[in-house]
Amino acid sequence: MCGIVGYIGSRNAESILINGLTKLEYRGYDSAGIAVYNDGNIQLKKAVGRLSQLEELLEQSPLSGSLAIGHTRWATHGKPSDSNSHPHMDEKGEFVVVHNGIIENFQEIKNELIEKGAEFASETDTEVIAYLLADMYDGDLVSTVQKAVARMEGAYALGIIYKHEPDKMIAVRLASPLIVGIGEKENFIASDIPALIEHTRDIYILNDGEMAVITSDNIQLTTTTGKPIQRDSFHVEWDVETAEKDGFEHFMLKEIYEQPKAYRDTLLNRIDHDVNKIDLSNEISLSQEQIRSIDKIHIVACGTAYHAGLVGKVALENLARIPVEVDVASEYRYRNPIHTPNTLVVVISQSGETADTLAAMKESQKNGVKVLAITNVKGSSVARDADEVLLTLAGPEIAVASTKAYTSQLIAIYLLGLYFAQIRETKNNQEITQYIQAIKELPAQAEKLLEFAPIIKEFSERYAHYEDLFFIGRSMDYAVSLEGSLKLKEISYIHSEAYPAGELKHGTLALITDGIPVIALATQEDIYDKMVSNIKEVKAREAYVLGITLDGNTDLFHSVDEVITIPRTLALLTPALAVIPLQLLAYYAALARGNDVDKPRNLAKSVTVE
Ligand code: M6R
């Protein structure tokens, strides 16, 4: 949802900005632009399309200067075009703004400014901010920004520079992520850490309603009403290589292969091997009494994280015997859910910045409900505002299509379910030990499964020319099917639907005709026979079926056209393995269709707008 970056110091800013934007392109790639101050003037270069278009433009006519802001756009207001690209300026070219978010009352402000004679050059809400700053200017940039943001409603991370005060850059945040990088006689702003990590590992994370006044040798943090803020800086521990492709053709493939490591890291220090118990007591402050009293759990998330939540429902209900509801965050926040005093809301978000998930969390907290967040980003908005945090330790996920985040969310859910089960005594010691043993085997099993990537690539190439495809499964296989279908849609653009296999004959079977590809998951032993019957139903309608089942289920070979087998584990844990072939299928199908795998059309990595 747009990436912003800014620099103030003594080096030439252009390459710093372009490098930073490259790391943020996952947030949006409809257009890009930079504004550089030099010798009393601010110059702008913008280009619609990928960042490479802007780079070409800058190669022909470079910009030099040591104060600059830049932007990579995911279009909200106004189509991708040069004029709608950021940065935006006021009419005199004095105030320059980059923005991530949506100004909800921009039309009202725009109309007022038009009445005063303003003529706008773009359709964006961001341009209105630049014009508003010019209209409200009171002789001091900082107080003008404070007054202007007081008029703005919505969500924004802003980078602002002003031609007549070139010793400073302003950063403001409300409900869109923004960090300030601390350098040596130079400072930075960015939407996310990878954009800054080659320059600094020390950052300040801005909270909602806060701003930073940044010069080359000072960073002053205040609220947007001017109250000073004292804050410790945050030290980033992971290294540059973790955020690079490391020899893989795409981030997505690299991240698929990183899953065994993500499992190991997410398990690390959470299993007490001496007593075979899960120990989350250092991270989760809920008392044993509180955990015993939980009478329902609401899992709330979006997209892939929501799909992890669907597996989570089955896992938590079975392990901890607590009733679980799962909701898409954009629905939950408006549905007035019924909370009891002992409801626990579990939000799941890789980025920890998804606007709907954040809002759902805040709505729940307003009702006095405790929120436990499962997130991959320490220091993210969700991590900071939740009552309890369980981190997934998957490392930065860059590809828009989420893979290792999903599977490490599953691991975190299993850990949580087992931890609750121990305290609530819903599983005995022997059962807990079995689960722990099986979870510990998952990384090696995932590694084994990844060795079959070349075979899955061949399957994918056969599927790549279809325009419609179905996934079917029961219970957790259905939840995994939904994730497989989303992966396929978002990067290969093949239309696909996931159905509970038992539901097919209530309508969807009408769509199954000669040669229609169906991917059927049959990894749940207790309902295996039922699933095989469903597969036979689609085979009888001439579907072309790829079955995914457990090692040793050789009988399935007779009922389907092709089979992929996955290592055996406990039923509740199979999603952590079954999803891997589906991720690879989607990846190779997208590749075969010549798509830009890491940057699928119309999408962005973090959805920080509603
Ligand atoms: O950062 P989050 O986990 O909150 O993101 C939620 C979804 O936007 C995300 O999972 C999205 O569905 C992925 N692109 C799917 O691959």
Side-chain angles (χ1 to χ4, degrees), residues 54 115 291 296 333 368 382 395 413 450 483 510 527:
L54 176 67
E115 265 180 37
I291 292 170
K296 64 176 168 175
R333 61 185 288 192
V382 163
I413 290 165
L450 286 165
E483 176 55 12
I527 42 174

Side-chain angles (χ1 to χ4, degrees), residues 302-305 349-351 354 400-402 486-487 490 607:
C302 300
T304 287
S349 174
Q350 186 284 130
S351 62
T354 299
V400 168
S402 188
L486 174 63
K487 269 321 64 106
E490 70 176 328
V607 184

Side-chain angles (χ1 to χ4, degrees), residues 169-450:
M169 165 171 72
I170 311 272
V172 194
R173 174 197 159 131
L174 185 74
S176 290
L178 195 56
I179 57 172
V180 182
I182 309 161
E184 280 281 317
K185 296 208 165 45
E186 59 182 5
N187 290 307
F188 311 81
I189 59 169
S191 301
D192 198 1
I193 293 167
L196 302 187
I197 195 151
E198 70 181 84
H199 307 293
T200 179
R201 287 162 174 280
D202 295 309
I203 58 169
Y204 290 119
I205 300 171
L206 291 186
N207 289 329
D208 287 347
E210 293 181 356
M211 61 189 278
V213 180
I214 304 157
T215 63
S216 50
D217 51 14
N218 189 41
I219 298 167
Q220 195 191 345
L221 302 181
T222 67
T223 63
T224 46
T225 53
K227 277 201 207 115
I229 294 168
Q230 292 303 325
R231 170 153 314 142
D232 291 336
S233 62
F234 178 91
H235 188 74
V236 179
E237 273 140 29
W238 44 266
D239 48 23
V240 187
E241 290 71 40
T242 328
E244 300 291 347
K245 279 194 217 147
D246 206 14
F248 283 90
E249 196 180 343
H250 294 99
F251 278 112
M252 182 180 177
L253 190 62
K254 177 189 173 230
E255 288 160 6
I256 290 174
Y257 274 87
E258 281 174 344
Q259 289 178 110
K261 180 176 182 325
Y263 293 3
R264 288 193 182 98
D265 290 350
T266 303
L267 291 174
L268 204 69
N269 299 330
R270 286 163 168 171
I271 300 175
D272 184 338
H273 300 277
D274 293 338
V275 286
N276 265 326
K277 288 265 151 72
I278 304 297
D279 187 4
L280 302 179
S281 60
N282 293 332
E283 301 162 77
I284 293 179
S285 68
L286 291 172
S287 68
Q288 298 213 349
E289 193 39 51
Q290 283 173 311
I291 292 170
R292 275 193 282 270
S293 316
I294 298 170
D295 56 12
K296 64 176 168 175
I297 293 178
H298 288 176
I299 299 182
V300 186
C302 300
T304 287
Y306 166 73
H307 294 155
L310 295 175
V311 175
K313 173 182 166 68
V314 185
L316 290 171
E317 287 187 342
N318 275 279
L319 294 171
R321 304 307 294 157
I322 304 171
V324 181
E325 290 174 33
V326 193
D327 275 76
V328 165
S330 53
E331 294 294 322
Y332 187 79
R333 61 185 288 192
Y334 296 116
R335 85 160 162 88
N336 195 11
I338 299 169
H339 293 135
T340 62
N342 294 320
T343 299
L344 176 70
V345 170
V346 175
V347 295
I348 308 177
S349 174
Q350 186 284 130
S351 62
E353 300 294 348
T354 299
D356 284 315
T357 308
L358 255 171
M361 174 168 104
K362 288 184 178 160
E363 282 301 309
S364 307
Q365 286 172 322
K366 265 194 226 153
N367 278 352
V369 173
K370 283 227 179 301
V371 175
L372 183 150
I374 295 178
T375 180
N376 197 36
V377 184
K378 191 176 169 186
S380 61
S381 304
V382 163
R384 280 175 294 139
D385 292 348
D387 304 286
E388 307 286 344
V389 178
L390 187 58
L391 286 174
T392 49
L393 296 159
E397 192 183 64
I398 308 293
V400 168
S402 188
T403 52
K404 63 175 179 171
Y406 171 79
T407 41
S408 26
Q409 283 157 1
L410 298 186
I411 302 289
I413 290 165
Y414 297 142
L415 290 174
L416 188 70
L418 288 169
Y419 182 60
F420 284 1
Q422 286 165 191
I423 293 168
R424 295 167 67 94
E425 296 176 0
T426 46
K427 291 282 170 207
N428 62 35
N429 288 347
Q430 197 190 346
E431 288 167 317
I432 299 281
T433 304
Q434 265 180 358
Y435 272 104
I436 290 178
Q437 279 312 111
I439 286 187
K440 285 188 340 200
E441 282 168 25
L442 285 175
Q445 291 179 312
E447 267 155 7
K448 189 166 162 231
L449 197 46
L450 286 165

Side-chain angles (χ1 to χ4, degrees), residues 69 86-89 95-99 126 129-130 133 158-160:
I69 50 178
H86 298 217
H88 286 284
M89 285 181 155
F95 291 89
V96 186
V97 181
V98 286
H99 170 214
T126 308
I129 304 171
L133 289 166
L158 301 173
I160 302 168

